[in-house]
Amino acid sequence: MFISVLDLFKIGIGPSSSHTMGPMVAANDFIARTQRYLTSAGQVTDINLRCTLRGSLAFTGKGHGTDRAVTLGLHGYTPKGLAAQDVDRLVSELWQQDTIESKELPAIRFSPATDIVFDQGPPLPQHPNGMIFELRDSQDSVVLSETCFSIGGGFINTLAEISDLEAPLKMVSALDCPYPFDSARSMLAMAVDSGMSIAQMKRANERVQRTEAELDTGLDAIWQAMRTCIETGLAAEGHLPGGLNIRRRARHLYRQLEAEPHNASLNDWLSAYAIAVNEENAAGHMVVTAPTNGAAGVIPAVLYYQVMHHGATEQQIRDYLLSAGAIGGIIKHRSSISGAEVGCQGEVGSAAAMAAAGLCALRGGSVQQIENAAEIALEHHLGMTCDPVNGLVQVPCIERNAFGAIKAHAAASLAIRESGTHFMPLDNCIAAMKQTGLEMSDKYKETALGGLAVSLTEC
């Protein structure tokens, strides 16, 4: 398997990679298909487009902005293209329109309020994040359709693609990669045989698809977007949208730490940085999937602390991202990073494992210590549910990123003080996460039907 670090870390907008970015990409793909169909079909008039959301997308799509994302995608927008735009203003304008216009093609009737259907019946059997796009003619007959699934981290699959997969992700073949590891065990073996670090092997694999300069430019852009997101979040005030009236805390916390640095602990700084990112995500602003939006604060917070407090170098930053990306690719290949599929253990747990690996690598850890760090961090997130209150990526999601960053740092510190020899292999821990997710009730997998999501109502 091969998944590029530049695909795992994607610049986009909040609040969710699976419920916002993925549906936007799917909608954008379907409107492109629609335009090709209309070009070849000749005279077609009075056509209507409809999108039906199923499973987790139906239950928590409103709180995650899925209807907004679908509308933006159908009008030709992409997550990365919206990173610097005023999305609220744009959505407000699009919500007043009842057609989708394109050059030299007939207008397509589409009204977001009526043509996006939240179907809270049984989910589609292939994946809990399903979308059905339909183009209908004047007799209400379906002339073009596509079923898509948002499988986490902004990745999507069509029905045909997901039915072919042995793993929950369509991946590029690793046959051409010099180090085609698809497990932590094979990664360790290849590192020992080659004498290379995890970052060096990952870099060599990336070089099959892009030049050294292109890779470094991409890594630098990812880091700059992460840094911008933290610093914007640290400066922002006010309340987050969505109805919970959650006050932004990062700026107030950061000002306290700046005023009394002698009283500030590592945990304080990591919490401020992680919370800043996830408040930006909750606001629908620019964020980097790391590996998802709901877990976007963990990896940047740990790295930002190393840069700002320990002077991490440009090369260390790149090695951190490459090492984290290698671990994230293995987790996604062997399990899932989707909260709707395996709970928050797949989101914040995966992010913590990736951050722990990256930090251990940055601090000069061996490949065995890096694998150990990732395992420790993931192990202590096993069983974590995804139960967002009101379907919003706010409570408990924002604070969970702070604790994920703290656990990642602790895991790296423990691992780097040991030899790298340990009892539980990372592969076994990933397998445990997958099995735990399969056995977890759907109430606790991003449906807002259980746990904290209903505790306020029950009280």
Side-chain angles (χ1 to χ4, degrees):
M1 49 72 73
F2 174 77
I3 175 171
S4 173
V5 66
L6 303 185
D7 289 330
L8 196 61
F9 296 120
K10 292 189 289 291
I11 300 171
I13 61 169
S16 171
S17 52
S18 61
H19 287 54
T20 310
M21 290 176 62
M24 193 185 305
V25 171
N28 192 273
D29 286 352
F30 185 72
I31 200 64
R33 284 195 61 201
T34 296
Q35 290 167 346
R36 290 194 295 271
Y37 167 80
L38 293 176
T39 299
S40 62
Q43 285 294 102
V44 181
T45 58
D46 194 26
I47 51 175
N48 175 234
L49 195 154
R50 182 178 302 167
C51 175
T52 302
L53 304 174
R54 300 286 292 272
S56 176
L57 295 180
F59 282 100
T60 60
K62 282 285 186 183
H64 287 63
T66 306
D67 48 352
R68 290 162 50 106
V70 168
T71 301
L72 287 162
L74 291 175
H75 282 274
Y77 293 97
T78 63
K80 187 173 183 179
L82 289 169
Q85 292 202 38
D86 184 344
V87 177
D88 290 337
R89 179 192 59 77
L90 183 57
V91 168
S92 180
E93 292 174 359
L94 296 178
W95 227 257
Q96 306 307 313
Q97 300 179 21
D98 56 11
T99 59
I100 299 171
E101 308 281 350
S102 60
K103 292 181 180 179
E104 301 177 358
L105 291 173
I108 303 167
R109 287 189 292 109
F110 173 76
S111 175
T114 57
D115 290 320
I116 299 177
V117 180
F118 291 81
D119 183 350
Q120 297 186 351
L124 297 173
Q126 294 82 2
H127 194 278
N129 287 336
M131 297 162 275
I132 303 170
F133 293 94
E134 296 175 324
L135 192 67
R136 295 172 175 263
D137 63 16
S138 56
Q139 282 75 47
D140 203 34
S141 298
V142 177
V143 296
L144 182 68
S145 69
E146 184 71 271
T147 299
C148 297
F149 301 91
S150 183
I151 61 173
F155 294 93
I156 61 166
N157 283 134
T158 64
L159 180 60
E161 290 168 341
I162 203 166
S163 299
D164 278 343
L165 297 180
E166 295 180 5
L169 175 65
K170 178 179 63 177
M171 297 188 189
V172 177
S173 171
L175 293 178
D176 295 330
C177 293
Y179 304 99
F181 53 84
D182 60 359
S183 66
R185 175 180 292 181
S186 60
M187 178 185 71
L188 288 173
M190 291 178 192
V192 171
D193 290 344
S194 66
M196 298 175 73
S197 70
I198 293 171
Q200 288 170 333
M201 291 193 300
K202 182 64 174 167
R203 178 175 286 275
N205 288 344
E206 296 281 347
R207 287 290 310 278
V208 172
Q209 294 198 351
R210 54 184 55 85
T211 67
E212 190 96 8
E214 288 171 339
L215 174 60
D216 285 339
T217 297
L219 292 171
D220 294 346
I222 289 166
W223 163 237
Q224 287 306 315
M226 288 178 171
R227 180 169 185 160
T228 297
C229 189
I230 290 175
E231 292 174 352
T232 302
L234 291 175
E237 293 183 288
H239 291 75
L240 298 173
L244 294 182
N245 202 34
I246 300 297
R247 179 180 60 83
R248 283 180 177 260
R249 290 185 289 168
R251 183 177 186 273
H252 178 66
L253 175 57
Y254 183 60
R255 287 292 178 88
Q256 290 184 60
L257 302 180
E258 281 191 314
E260 297 182 329
H262 54 285
N263 287 329
S265 69
L266 164 70
N267 291 353
D268 292 330
W269 291 108
L270 289 176
S271 295
Y273 301 150
I275 288 171
V277 173
N278 286 86
E279 287 178 347
E280 282 296 284
N281 180 60
H285 297 165
M286 182 187 74
V287 72
V288 179
T289 61
T292 67
N293 283 26
V298 178
I299 292 170
V302 172
L303 181 53
Y304 192 78
Y305 181 84
Q306 292 301 309
V307 171
M308 301 305 293
H309 298 261
H310 295 287
T313 66
E314 184 179 74
Q315 191 56 50
Q316 286 178 317
I317 292 169
R318 292 170 180 169
D319 286 348
Y320 174 98
L321 294 173
L322 287 167
S323 301
I327 298 300
I330 292 172
I331 293 173
K332 191 156 179 61
H333 175 61
R334 304 184 74 85
S335 180
S336 174
I337 59 170
S338 169
E341 197 168 15
V342 296
C344 198
Q345 58 175 357
E347 297 205 30
V348 172
S350 296
M354 294 166 66
L359 177 58
C360 194
L362 185 152
R363 293 172 61 181
S366 68
V367 291
Q368 293 82 5
Q369 289 170 324
I370 292 168
E371 185 262 359
N372 188 16
E375 188 280 326
I376 294 171
L378 184 60
E379 178 180 304
H380 296 289
H381 284 88
L382 291 180
M384 181 175 281
T385 57
C386 182
D387 46 356
V389 176
N390 223 32
L392 298 167
V393 193
Q394 298 180 20
V395 178
C397 318
I398 294 172
E399 285 183 354
R400 276 189 182 167
N401 277 260
F403 279 82
I406 291 168
K407 285 185 179 182
H409 202 286
S413 296
L414 279 172
I416 209 162
R417 292 186 181 278
E418 298 290 339
S419 66
T421 301
H422 58 106
F423 180 78
M424 180 62 64
L426 175 59
D427 288 334
N428 296 59
C429 189
I430 294 171
M433 182 183 80
K434 182 177 182 178
Q435 190 61 36
T436 301
L438 290 173
E439 296 176 4
M440 187 182 290
S441 169
D442 287 344
K443 293 192 302 183
Y444 306 113
K445 292 193 284 188
E446 211 163 358
T447 58
L449 295 176
L452 286 172
V454 299
S455 63
L456 289 175
T457 302
E458 291 179 348
C459 293

